Amino acid sequence: MRFSKAAVAVRYSIYETLFAGKVSDEMKQGMIDFHCDVLAKLLTGEAAGFKGPVSAGLDVTWERLQQADALLQTFAVYIPEQLDYSVQNLLRAVDHFYQQVLTCPEIMFVRSTEELRACAQAGRTGAVLAIEGAESLQGDLALLRVLYQLGVRSLGLTWNHANWAADGIMEPRGGGLTGRGKELVRACNELGILIDVSHLSERSFWDTIELTGRPVIASHSNVRSVCSHPRNLTDDQIRAIIMQGGLIGLTYVPWFVKSEGSARASDLFSHIDYICKLGGADNIMFGSDFDGFGQHIAGLANPGDIPAFIDELEKRYGKELTHRWVQGNAFRFLAENLPEH
Ligand SMILES: [Zn+2]
């Protein structure tokens, strides 16, 4: 194994630093997951709630996060294509997060390093609020500042298509950031909103990398050299994220995991191995994209399957590396990149 136990201990001193010498026994042992689309299903009415029988239709539910001992889940505001990119829909999705998610017992809003620490110490499951696609911001940075006040801490500039800020990966012209898009990146940097590069066109990706003063995340993307899908990252993109100290959230969307045949959970190992080969063992996390797609990988259908997946990872890679990918890397990144208070 490449990393000695001593090296891992040094890397994880961030827990000790944050917790003033003692890691809480209460701290959840499960996953930090950096992308799900629960709020989109609540917005369209595909599910009526997040907890109890009304959560039928969701992959990620309160019960399953508890079952999985989840340390943190990011909830993205994604406005499905059948709805308008109106400010009203955007705020309705935020309202679902407040009304349905944050009201659940054990869930704690994480907007700062201080709240991250408190959440881990109290043994609760953190919830981070994100936006996937800047469409509904409609070029208005005042709205971005209001969303920051509402707790948004991560922003994907586009979904698959072009918008006022940038081109997405499925936009045939393959443009980069617009002038307003560049202002958006600078404003996120200043406010303390993380930039998510999943879904960006390659040119938008490189424009963002050049401009951003903070490390970026790709919340739900895999490795293109392993599975040739445009939503996956090229070697150069992976290297750039590693160079910046950013994060890559490996995702369970079957067609991003394996090009042909049915994907299995163990097919994610090839993506992990490839990123490690490029020097990115400290840059791997997970971003399931649960509730964002219909046909699941067998054994990776919802958070209830994650404990068994973690066991599989431990069998292959050992406890220290697995811990790093399951929560350590993302925890350290958030501790270093969220606003302090
Ligand atoms: Zn997505």
Side-chain angles (χ1 to χ4, degrees):
M1 193 165 291
R2 265 186 63 209
F3 300 93
S4 68
K5 272 196 168 179
V8 170
V10 169
R11 284 169 212 277
Y12 286 97
S13 65
I14 185 74
Y15 282 164
E16 273 79 21
T17 309
L18 268 170
F19 302 149
K22 187 177 178 296
V23 179
S24 167
D25 297 336
E26 304 295 315
M27 188 169 165
K28 300 275 190 196
Q29 296 301 305
M31 188 78 89
I32 288 182
D33 182 302
F34 229 88
H35 191 85
C36 79
D37 281 323
V38 163
L39 301 178
K41 283 187 178 171
L42 293 174
L43 189 61
T44 58
E46 278 175 82
F50 184 60
K51 178 175 176 287
V54 288
S55 68
L58 288 181
D59 303 333
V60 180
T61 63
W62 178 80
E63 288 81 0
R64 286 179 181 147
L65 288 182
Q66 298 314 303
Q67 189 188 336
D69 206 31
L71 177 55
L72 187 142
Q73 177 70 55
T74 293
F75 294 81
V77 171
Y78 163 69
I79 311 291
E81 284 184 290
Q82 68 266 32
L83 299 180
D84 295 337
Y85 293 131
S86 63
V87 175
Q88 194 166 22
N89 278 332
L90 174 68
L91 294 179
R92 275 186 183 141
V94 172
D95 182 57
H96 282 298
F97 177 74
Y98 275 81
Q99 295 296 320
Q100 307 285 348
V101 178
L102 290 183
T103 52
C104 289
E106 303 296 319
I107 299 278
M108 190 169 156
F109 203 179
V110 170
R111 291 162 290 194
S112 62
T113 303
E114 200 171 47
E115 287 176 342
L116 179 72
R117 185 195 304 127
C119 175
Q121 287 284 55
R124 292 169 78 177
T125 300
V128 168
L129 182 58
I131 290 180
E132 179 175 30
E135 288 79 8
S136 4
L137 271 68
Q138 301 172 13
D140 191 343
L141 297 183
L143 193 50
L144 182 78
R145 290 187 286 273
V146 171
L147 288 163
Y148 178 84
Q149 292 299 332
L150 289 172
V152 170
R153 290 294 179 271
S154 175
L155 173 72
L157 303 181
T158 68
W159 188 59
N160 283 337
H161 310 303
N163 64 27
W164 61 271
D167 278 14
I169 187 66
M170 299 305 187
E171 181 62 41
R173 68 182 177 185
L177 293 184
T178 65
R180 292 292 281 159
K182 288 179 182 170
E183 287 176 35
L184 177 64
V185 170
R186 285 189 206 104
C188 285
N189 281 173
E190 278 167 28
L191 282 167
I193 296 179
L194 305 171
I195 306 273
D196 185 348
V197 298
S198 281
H199 285 284
L200 287 184
S201 72
E202 286 186 40
R203 215 175 129 197
S204 299
F205 174 94
W206 291 111
D207 284 353
T208 304
I209 290 286
E210 195 174 310
L211 185 65
T212 184
R214 288 164 172 264
V216 299
I217 58 167
S219 67
H220 56 306
S221 293
N222 291 339
V223 176
R224 205 182 294 181
S225 289
V226 174
C227 174
S228 179
H229 190 289
R231 274 277 287 102
N232 287 340
L233 300 164
T234 66
D235 290 8
D236 283 345
Q237 289 179 317
I238 294 167
R239 283 194 196 95
I241 292 172
I242 293 170
M243 284 272 287
Q244 278 211 332
L247 286 178
I248 298 161
L250 294 176
T251 190
Y252 313 150
V253 182
W255 46 98
F256 299 171
V257 173
K258 200 177 175 196
S259 313
E260 283 167 23
S262 53
R264 291 185 301 178
S266 57
D267 288 318
L268 278 157
F269 298 164
S270 317
H271 295 267
I272 290 172
D273 293 343
Y274 200 92
I275 295 175
C276 288
K277 202 180 74 186
L278 295 180
D282 283 339
N283 307 84
I284 294 171
M285 64 166 177
F286 293 95
S288 63
D289 205 8
F290 283 142
D291 292 300
F293 61 103
Q295 183 197 332
H296 294 104
I297 295 174
L300 275 177
N302 62 58
D305 288 335
I306 297 303
F309 179 54
I310 293 176
D311 284 348
E312 272 193 70
L313 286 167
E314 284 185 352
K315 260 184 226 138
R316 186 176 164 102
Y317 298 102
K319 273 189 188 302
E320 343 277 337
L321 278 172
T322 299
H323 171 75
R324 199 183 298 193
W325 302 330
V326 165
Q327 56 168 242
N329 288 343
F331 194 95
R332 186 197 53 217
F333 182 88
L334 287 170
E336 289 170 357
N337 290 290
L338 282 177
E340 212 170 309
H341 303 289

